[in-house]
Amino acid sequence: MSRLRGVGRSRTRKPANVSKRLARSYVCGHCRSEVRGVRRDEHGIDHIDIAHDAECPVLRGAVPDEGDVYRAAARAGISAMDVRVRDGGAE
Ligand SMILES: [Zn+2]
């Protein structure tokens, strides 16, 4: 008896890029914002653009979002990472 495997339509494929996997899994714990995209700069560093609501305390820098980042990493299956978090309030 042969066993048919899914042809991939119902299964989503994991992006190979760690930043894209992290971006896909990230949700702000305060405003439930989504990610606009991932941009790689001229130094090869990926930047994840998060569309926080205008009133979001994370965007203002009043609340750190490290917890959300680590939860996203866990959901994405990222066990080790080097992430520099820059929120909207800190430059
Ligand atoms: Zn937010």
Side-chain angles (χ1 to χ4, degrees), residues 54-74:
E55 301 83 27
C56 179
V58 173
L59 180 63
R60 291 179 315 183
V63 176
D65 69 347
E66 284 91 352
D68 294 329
V69 171
Y70 290 118
R71 279 186 285 280

Side-chain angles (χ1 to χ4, degrees), residues 26-34 50-53 55-59 65 68:
Y26 183 89
V27 177
C28 176
H30 294 275
C31 71
R32 313 299 293 171
S33 62
E34 296 185 2
I50 302 164
H52 293 281
D53 291 346
E55 301 83 27
C56 179
V58 173
L59 180 63
D65 69 347
D68 294 329

